[in-house]
Amino acid sequence: MSAHCQLTGAQPGFGNTVSHSHRRTSRRFDPNIQHKRYWLASEGRHVRLTLSARAIKTVDAIGVEAAVARIRARGEKV
């Protein structure tokens, strides 16, 4: 599964784990990505979106139709 949000564009961040002795090793900060299925009434079908937890809350606030419009405006396929 790609760690990429279709709505917000959230992607992994990269940094270092710093040990007690102050050695640095590479690490990856992944966004909380979930697969969520929504009913898209205008097209009469379900859509399966890959969203971050924050984006799920955004969809709840603005609605599925507006969220899909934003995703398509970003050039993503739905």
Side-chain angles (χ1 to χ4, degrees):
M1 154 172 64
S2 174
H4 173 262
C5 177
Q6 289 181 300
L7 182 61
T8 63
Q11 292 179 343
F14 295 90
N16 291 306
T17 300
V18 182
S19 70
H20 180 69
S21 65
H22 220 59
R23 282 180 179 253
R24 289 174 169 85
T25 54
S26 294
R27 65 159 295 176
R28 178 175 152 148
F29 296 90
D30 283 327
N32 185 3
I33 298 293
Q34 309 291 327
H35 292 295
K36 191 98 164 101
R37 190 170 170 247
Y38 291 101
W39 174 252
L40 194 58
S42 64
E43 297 181 16
R45 67 183 183 103
H46 285 97
V47 291
R48 188 166 182 249
L49 303 176
T50 304
L51 301 171
S52 63
R54 184 179 70 182
I56 291 172
K57 294 173 189 175
T58 303
V59 171
D60 291 343
I62 67 172
V64 181
E65 302 288 339
V68 169
R70 283 189 193 180
I71 291 170
R72 287 183 173 146
R74 291 184 70 238
E76 299 251 357
K77 185 181 173 190
V78 178

